[in-house]
Amino acid sequence: DAGVTQSPTHLIKTRGQQVTLRCSPKSGHDTVSWYQQALGQGPQFIFQYYEEEERQRGNFPDRFSGHQFPNYSSELNVNALLLGDSALYLCASSSGVHYGYTFGSGTRLTVV
Amino acid sequence: GIQVEQSPPDLILQEGANSTLRCNFSDSVNNLQWFHQNPWGQLINLFYIPSGTKQNGRLSATTVATERYSLLYISSSQTTDSGVYFCAVLGNDMRFGAGTRLTVKP
């Protein structure tokens, strides 16, 4: 049973560029949430997708956007990258919005 | 949004010692999970525990939802238990505490 799969695992981008991160949820899960984890801190909630719509959003600027596809996979897009966007980006999936979350291994983004 | 506080922020133990990690949260929640983050960043689910007590080997957890706290117990700690432990609570979305960094020395 495949868990949550994220790609790529590592990425280096230049300030001002755009980046797309991808997430495939665990089999049977229909809800995807994205988190940003800066070094030494806890994960911070970015947004959550359910039924292909953004259901909840954390305190992140509009440069952060996302999408969920009919097969429940999801993308996180970040435009106009800043040095401060360097972090580990984690994707979590769940069955519905009120049940236990399973996390992927994350994408480590470095902005130079 | 819901505030989540974990204590202590750092904990250093000798192998074989027991420990208790605490998580306080500011509002009623739909569920609560404890995670262990490994050195590669993977968040490993330890317990899904919106209320009550669960045990898994040397680890156990108790959540008292009415008093808005949860405890994670680690008994007979091993060096492989080292890492960061996070409590996360689900209201409208899942919010994490800042974590407890556990170091177990041989």
Side-chain angles (χ1 to χ4, degrees), chain B residues 18-87:
Chain B
N18 302 328
S19 61
T20 301
L21 283 58
R22 186 177 181 100
C23 171
N24 293 330
F25 45 96
S26 62
D27 205 345
S28 59
V29 296
N30 294 308
N31 83 45
L32 184 147
Q33 286 182 259
W34 283 96
F35 294 93
H36 178 215
Q37 190 164 41
N38 67 23
W40 299 272
Q42 174 87 50
L43 282 165
I44 309 298
N45 178 59
L46 299 175
F47 293 102
Y48 167 74
I49 186 166
S51 64
T53 297
K54 291 186 178 180
Q55 182 159 4
N56 184 6
R58 296 181 296 104
L59 274 60
S60 63
T62 295
T63 296
V64 184
T66 53
E67 297 186 20
R68 298 180 185 168
Y69 74 89
S70 183
L71 302 173
L72 177 69
Y73 305 97
I74 304 175
S75 64
S76 304
S77 58
Q78 301 175 358
T79 56
T80 53
D81 294 332
S82 296
V84 183
Y85 289 80
F86 287 104
C87 163

Side-chain angles (χ1 to χ4, degrees), chain A residues 35 37 40-45 48 55-59 88 90 97-106 108, chain B residues 30-31 33 35 37 39-45 48 84 86 88 90-99 101:
Chain A
Y35 290 80
Q37 186 178 19
Q41 298 183 19
Q44 299 295 312
F45 174 69
Q48 182 182 72
R55 181 180 177 275
Q56 296 286 340
R57 189 179 182 92
N59 188 26
L88 178 67
L90 294 163
V97 300
H98 293 303
Y99 297 95
Y101 286 27
T102 300
F103 280 81
S105 299
R108 192 166 297 279
Chain B
N30 294 308
N31 83 45
Q33 286 182 259
F35 294 93
Q37 190 164 41
W40 299 272
Q42 174 87 50
L43 282 165
I44 309 298
N45 178 59
Y48 167 74
V84 183
F86 287 104
L90 182 66
N92 290 322
D93 54 75
M94 181 160 277
R95 303 283 174 155
F96 283 75
R101 181 173 296 278

Side-chain angles (χ1 to χ4, degrees), chain A residues 8-52:
Chain A
T9 55
H10 295 83
L11 200 53
I12 300 175
K13 289 287 190 178
T14 302
R15 188 173 47 183
Q17 285 188 315
Q18 179 265 345
V19 68
T20 297
L21 310 182
R22 295 176 176 83
C23 173
S24 293
K26 182 178 179 179
S27 177
H29 286 184
D30 57 7
T31 302
V32 174
S33 304
W34 287 92
Y35 290 80
Q36 180 195 66
Q37 186 178 19
L39 199 61
Q41 298 183 19
Q44 299 295 312
F45 174 69
I46 303 175
F47 43 54
Q48 182 182 72
Y49 278 86
Y50 175 65
E51 294 186 340
E52 301 181 49

Side-chain angles (χ1 to χ4, degrees), chain A residues 72-94:
Chain A
Y72 307 121
S73 66
S74 176
E75 289 182 347
L76 163 65
N77 301 293
V78 187
N79 294 323
L81 285 166
L82 304 174
L83 297 179
D85 295 331
S86 296
L88 178 67
Y89 288 85
L90 294 163
C91 170
S93 72
S94 60

